[in-house]
Amino acid sequence: MKRNKHKKGHFYWLLARNYISFTLALVISFSFIAIVATLRISGVLKNEENSTPDLYLDILKNGNYEDFPVEDLLDIDGSIVILDENLKPIYQSSDNINTTYSSNDLLLIPDYNMNSYTHAETYIDANDKERILVTSYVYKNKTAVNQELWIFDEQLNVIYNTRNINISTLTPLEFSYLTRNINNSFEAMKYSFKGNDGENYTMILLKSLINNKTLIKVSHTIKYTLWTFLILYLIMIICFIYWLHRKVNKPLALLDEAILNFSTGDYDMGINYSGPTEFVQICDNFNCMARRLSESEAQKKKLENEKKKILANISHDLKTPITVIQGYSKAICDNIIKDDQKDLYLNIIYQKSQSLTELINSFSEYNKLDHPDFKLNLTKVDICEFSREYLAERYDELEVAGFLLDADIPEEILTCSIDSFQLTRVFENIISNCLKYNPRETTLFFNIEKADDKVKLTLGDNGLGIPNESSEHIFEPFVVGDSSRGTKEGSGLGLAIAKKIVQEHHGKISLKNPPSQGFSTEFEILLPLS
């Protein structure tokens, strides 16, 4: 089977390929966005790690505490308090913050430059008493190098600590210093330095846990990342849907246009589409349907024209004998005709009525063959034996008419499924024409031979022959006499009926032009072997 060059693979493969491409594009886009977001977050965290009081030590040593970048180091709500050696506050960056710190407070507040992590949790000991466990880890190069444990009871009495600090009880504020969480709002850290005046100072740094600039930047980065991905995802979805719409809508639009043209009677406008196999197949099927309907419409018009022609011809052929019969019978009834001429007139009336009957019978048979309910009564018959019997029955008639018979029928059995009655009519119509239009001493030929999976029957004569201009229309209805043999006799439906009968047998009948040597007229009938 010839492959359709317009086909470009199955539609589901096209969907699969493009969906995979869409997924890969989505993954690549998301990966790119994630990488950019990760680099941005890493930059923010790196800036926070690199931002330490050590960078501003000169400001602290010179005592220019107002120039210390509190917000950059401690976020928006952060504050600092500078304490001298006696723990007396000498500077505070904002009002309403605690400026009173004891030596115990400084022991519990973690150092700023110490990368540590503190975790507090409650548990029930073996005596069913609630205890508080505080664990601190000190990290160096992301590895824990020191661990500190504190255990408290419900009143924050110190039960155990690994620092061997002589503290028996902590206040809630001191406990918040230890856990780096002041009222769930600030984280306290300390930084010690020596001023240019030789005095030792301690800076208390209060970093906001709520308005953490780093967390806000990270949160914004994540939010923008998600929004960017969502927008990109929606754009890609819209593009994919638009692409799918174009792929599906294009053949549907072509099909819709073709159907509209089809409804107006334009059957010749085919669909020229190149794309997925399924859509190409639909368009091809539509083109095939349109072509068949166009051929059917043309055939219908041809049949209608033939029917009109048949009606016109039969009206004409009926009119002539009826007019003669009416005129002659009227003359006899009015006693216009002499007595010695009445027999002649009656004989003419009888002959015309015979012609009229023949014409009506032929027309009736022709229409019956065209009826959808017409069916052959097929039986398997040896076509050679069947033909010999038929010729034997007609031999005497041919001899009386002065015609010769030359039959060449093989002895082998050639079986065909035929309707004996209808096939006999085919032979009768062809041979009757030979007898009607040829002079005496004309030889009739009847030959049978096997041709592959068919039987070829040859019927003809060496008489007057058929003019070339009439041979093309010989099987059309009402082709008689003056248009074929030079006379106007018969109904002109014999060969048309013969053709229909042969076609009903799934065979073929034709007039060979030019005929074979020795023939003037040669009909060839092909019938399938059973």
Side-chain angles (χ1 to χ4, degrees), residues 78-203:
S79 302
I80 63 170
V81 176
I82 308 297
L83 304 175
D84 60 13
E85 290 181 347
N86 299 319
L87 303 183
K88 181 181 178 180
I90 61 174
Y91 175 80
Q92 64 186 74
S93 63
S94 61
D95 298 331
N96 301 322
I97 61 173
N98 181 30
T99 59
T100 303
Y101 294 91
S102 64
S103 57
N104 285 346
D105 292 339
L106 295 183
L107 287 174
L108 297 172
I109 295 174
D111 191 82
Y112 188 94
N113 288 329
M114 185 172 59
N115 188 10
S116 62
Y117 168 75
T118 303
H119 175 68
E121 61 178 328
T122 59
Y123 71 97
I124 305 299
D125 65 4
N127 298 320
D128 291 333
K129 293 183 178 181
E130 185 175 294
R131 297 288 183 258
I132 302 174
L133 174 64
V134 178
T135 308
S136 296
Y137 300 93
V138 178
Y139 290 91
K140 186 176 182 181
N141 297 327
K142 298 183 180 181
T143 303
V145 296
N146 189 21
Q147 181 180 5
E148 182 180 314
L149 297 177
W150 292 75
I151 299 177
F152 303 89
D153 62 11
E154 294 179 355
Q155 286 75 36
L156 299 181
N157 296 316
V158 179
I159 298 175
Y160 171 79
N161 76 84
T162 58
R163 291 175 62 179
N164 296 321
I165 298 177
N166 189 18
I167 300 177
S168 59
T169 303
L170 297 184
T171 64
L173 183 57
E174 290 173 337
F175 183 78
S176 67
Y177 290 151
L178 177 64
T179 57
R180 304 177 66 170
N181 194 335
I182 304 174
N183 299 326
N184 296 322
S185 300
F186 291 93
E187 177 184 15
M189 292 169 288
K190 67 185 178 186
Y191 180 78
S192 300
F193 63 95
K194 190 172 185 177
N196 290 334
D197 57 3
E199 297 291 330
N200 292 319
Y201 296 91
T202 302
M203 180 172 60

Side-chain angles (χ1 to χ4, degrees), residues 207-477:
K207 186 175 184 179
S208 175
L209 296 175
I210 298 175
N211 294 323
N212 189 304
K213 186 166 62 176
T214 301
L215 293 178
I216 291 173
K217 288 182 179 179
V218 171
S219 175
H220 285 174
T221 301
I222 294 174
K223 181 174 68 174
Y224 294 149
T225 300
L226 292 176
W227 274 108
T228 302
F229 175 74
L230 180 61
I231 293 171
L232 184 62
Y233 176 76
L234 290 176
I235 292 173
M236 294 180 69
I237 282 289
I238 291 171
C239 292
F240 182 75
I241 292 173
Y242 176 72
W243 169 88
L244 186 62
H245 170 75
R246 285 195 60 188
K247 281 291 181 183
V248 175
N249 188 63
K250 182 179 179 181
L252 293 181
L254 292 173
L255 191 62
D256 182 61
E257 182 183 1
I259 290 173
L260 289 176
N261 293 325
F262 193 79
S263 64
T264 60
D266 184 5
Y267 304 120
D268 298 328
M269 183 177 178
I271 303 176
N272 186 18
Y273 173 73
S274 176
T277 302
E278 290 80 0
F279 291 146
V280 171
Q281 191 68 40
I282 292 172
C283 294
D284 287 347
N285 290 338
F286 180 85
N287 290 337
C288 183
M289 179 192 71
R291 185 171 60 255
R292 289 180 179 177
L293 285 176
S294 178
E295 293 172 355
S296 176
E297 188 69 18
Q299 185 67 21
K300 180 181 176 182
K301 289 181 179 180
K302 182 181 178 181
L303 290 175
E304 287 178 354
N305 291 333
E306 286 183 358
K307 286 183 179 180
K308 289 179 181 179
K309 182 180 178 181
I310 288 173
L311 289 175
N313 286 332
I314 199 167
S315 298
H316 177 269
D317 288 351
L318 288 173
K319 181 179 179 181
T320 301
I322 290 175
T323 301
V324 172
I325 291 173
Q326 287 178 340
Y328 281 32
S329 60
K330 178 67 174 174
I332 294 174
C333 291
D334 292 343
N335 293 319
I336 298 174
I337 307 301
K338 297 179 180 179
D339 292 339
D340 59 344
Q341 292 182 326
K342 284 184 179 181
D343 291 338
L344 176 61
Y345 274 64
L346 289 174
N347 186 47
I348 294 174
I349 292 173
Y350 174 74
Q351 290 178 358
K352 294 299 181 182
S353 65
Q354 287 286 93
S355 299
L356 192 61
T357 300
E358 179 186 352
L359 181 62
I360 293 173
N361 289 338
S362 297
F363 187 68
S364 175
E365 290 297 325
Y366 182 81
N367 282 333
K368 186 168 70 173
L369 291 173
D370 252 350
H371 198 278
D373 294 334
F374 174 76
K375 291 182 180 180
L376 296 176
N377 184 20
L378 297 176
T379 55
K380 290 185 178 182
V381 173
D382 177 11
I383 193 68
C384 296
E385 183 61 28
F386 172 79
S387 300
R388 279 192 288 267
E389 291 177 358
Y390 168 76
L391 293 175
E393 292 176 358
R394 294 215 62 173
Y395 185 79
D396 292 338
E397 179 186 353
L398 295 174
E399 188 176 12
V400 170
F403 284 77
L404 304 177
L405 178 62
D406 185 347
D408 184 8
I409 302 175
E411 295 297 328
E412 64 178 312
I413 297 176
L414 299 176
T415 304
C416 297
S417 294
I418 64 170
D419 185 325
S420 300
F421 175 75
Q422 297 296 343
L423 191 60
T424 300
R425 295 186 59 198
V426 174
F427 295 165
E428 287 284 344
N429 290 343
I430 294 175
I431 293 177
S432 295
N433 280 347
C434 291
L435 297 177
K436 185 182 297 183
Y437 298 113
N438 288 299
R440 295 171 65 87
E441 304 299 326
T442 299
T443 302
L444 275 64
F445 300 99
F446 196 112
N447 302 330
I448 296 179
E449 61 180 303
K450 183 178 179 183
D452 297 329
D453 59 342
K454 294 179 176 59
V455 174
K456 182 170 75 172
L457 294 87
T458 303
L459 286 80
D461 59 65
N462 60 356
L464 300 178
I466 300 174
N468 290 333
E469 62 272 12
S470 301
S471 59
E472 295 180 1
H473 309 286
I474 196 66
F475 293 105
E476 294 180 8

